[in-house]
Amino acid sequence: MPADTAPGSGGAAVIPAGAVKAIPVRHWGRLLSGVIVVALLVALVYAFAQGNVQWHAVSDKLFDGSVMKGAGRTLLITVLSMVLGVVLGVILSVMRMSKNPVTSGVAWLYIWFFRGTPVYVQLLLWFNLALIFPILNIPFIYKNEMTDVMTPFMCALLGLGLNEAAYMAEICRAGIQSVDEGQTEASHALGMTQGKTMRRVVLPQALRVIIPPTGNEFINMLKTSSLVVAVTYPDLLRATSSIGSTSYAVMEMLFVASIWYIAMTSVFSVGQFYLERRYARGTSRSLAATPWQKVKANMASLRSPRSA
């Protein structure tokens, strides 16, 4: 039935919606930029394919025993350094907000020093500490030569962990300050002490702000751990460098190290995404779609028929 008029339209002709053909606007700038980016990627891949690279050495050494052990040591020093940094960072953040000028001043001085000096320099300071203190002497407790105490593992742990504590202190302080002061006042009104208020009221709520950036710090720590090669700790980079120096496949072994670092950071990046998504519940009206949800949505849009 022809729909020339519609009730209440005053006799004016109404064109059915189905008869209108929508023509999408063409974004030539997007198309051109996409073509340029793809062309640059193809040129980059072609350059590496034509370069003097022994790709078989990359595949042969990717799962070499020493490389696998180096990757395991990298994960070990990363986890332990983060644990040390988180624990000490929480303590420093509480000290920083203390009303005691001595404790707050010491915390500020610690954060100022460790954030103001490079991690590489701090690692070398711990590694060469025996030049200043040849003997570590704690009266009635412990005494030993500093070279035996400051092993490569201990230098790496202290260099990374103490530096990370300075950054975690600021993250924890921001999280604690994000909790409304009324929560603390109400807890004190109920007779709770300052320590119990911090443990049972403030910190559980502050975790919503603290945990997501902590995941980012962990991923950054995983990459920063490559600096421990300066203190001869046998991590992933040192293992691949040793193989490269003996087999004359220096660049190939650097590619192997890069692949392992990318693989590990990718896995933990996925974990960080779900961690942030979990702690975003209650603060966001809609949670970010997971990669699998995005794939299903794109597949559904491809299967759905286009409107005429």
Side-chain angles (χ1 to χ4, degrees):
M1 182 178 77
D4 296 333
T5 61
S9 61
V14 177
I15 300 177
V20 178
K21 184 178 181 180
I23 300 176
V25 179
R26 291 180 174 84
H27 301 278
W28 297 109
R30 297 179 186 176
L31 179 62
L32 180 61
S33 62
V35 171
I36 293 174
V37 171
V38 171
L40 291 176
L41 290 176
V42 171
L44 182 64
V45 172
Y46 178 79
F48 272 94
Q50 298 300 316
N52 187 18
V53 180
Q54 304 175 22
W55 293 109
H56 64 88
V58 176
S59 58
D60 292 342
K61 297 297 184 180
L62 188 61
F63 296 100
D64 185 81
S66 59
V67 174
M68 298 287 288
K69 290 180 180 178
R73 295 189 185 100
T74 294
L75 287 176
L76 175 64
I77 198 64
T78 299
V79 172
L80 294 180
S81 299
M82 277 303 301
V83 171
L84 177 61
V86 169
V87 173
L88 188 55
V90 173
I91 296 174
L92 287 170
S93 63
V94 175
M95 292 174 58
R96 179 80 184 275
M97 294 183 295
S98 174
K99 296 180 180 179
N100 189 326
V102 176
T103 56
S104 61
V106 170
W108 178 88
L109 186 64
Y110 180 98
I111 296 170
W112 169 77
F113 175 78
F114 282 94
R115 291 180 65 187
T117 53
V119 183
Y120 189 81
V121 175
Q122 295 173 27
L123 288 168
L124 293 178
L125 286 174
W126 289 111
F127 187 67
N128 296 285
L129 192 62
L131 298 176
I132 303 176
F133 304 104
I135 303 296
L136 176 61
N137 186 9
I138 304 176
F140 308 108
I141 298 178
Y142 184 80
K143 184 178 181 180
N144 198 354
E145 293 186 3
M146 187 63 73
T147 53
D148 295 333
V149 176
M150 285 300 162
T151 60
F153 172 79
M154 186 60 65
C155 293
L157 178 62
L158 293 177
L160 296 178
L162 297 183
N163 179 80
E164 182 62 31
Y167 292 91
M168 285 304 305
E170 292 298 284
I171 294 175
C172 294
R173 183 172 66 90
I176 292 173
Q177 290 179 341
S178 68
V179 180
D180 189 80
E181 293 183 358
Q183 301 280 339
T184 303
E185 296 174 356
S187 301
H188 292 168
L190 293 174
M192 298 178 67
T193 62
Q194 184 71 26
K196 182 177 283 188
T197 300
M198 181 63 66
R199 293 193 309 270
R200 297 190 176 183
V201 178
V202 178
L203 285 180
Q205 298 182 70
L207 288 177
R208 188 187 300 273
V209 178
I210 294 173
I211 287 184
T214 303
N216 188 61
E217 286 293 314
F218 181 85
I219 295 173
N220 185 59
M221 174 67 75
L222 183 61
K223 296 179 294 183
T224 306
S225 65
S226 61
L227 294 176
V228 299
V229 69
V231 296
T232 68
Y233 180 72
D235 70 325
L236 173 61
L237 181 59
R238 184 172 178 81
T240 54
S241 299
S242 299
I243 297 175
S245 61
T246 56
S247 62
Y248 301 102
V250 177
M251 288 298 297
E252 289 78 4
M253 296 313 300
L254 290 177
F255 289 157
V256 171
S258 300
I259 292 172
W260 272 103
Y261 280 118
I262 290 174
M264 290 187 291
T265 54
S266 298
V267 171
F268 289 112
S269 295
V270 173
Q272 180 192 4
F273 170 81
Y274 282 99
L275 189 65
E276 292 182 356
R277 191 173 184 272
R278 173 180 176 82
Y279 279 89
R281 295 183 303 180
T283 58
S284 302
R285 293 185 177 180
S286 59
L287 297 177
T290 63
W292 177 240
Q293 290 174 343
K294 292 179 181 179
V295 170
K296 291 195 296 183
N298 292 332
M299 294 299 294
S301 63
L302 291 176
R303 288 196 300 265
S304 60
R306 295 183 178 181
S307 57

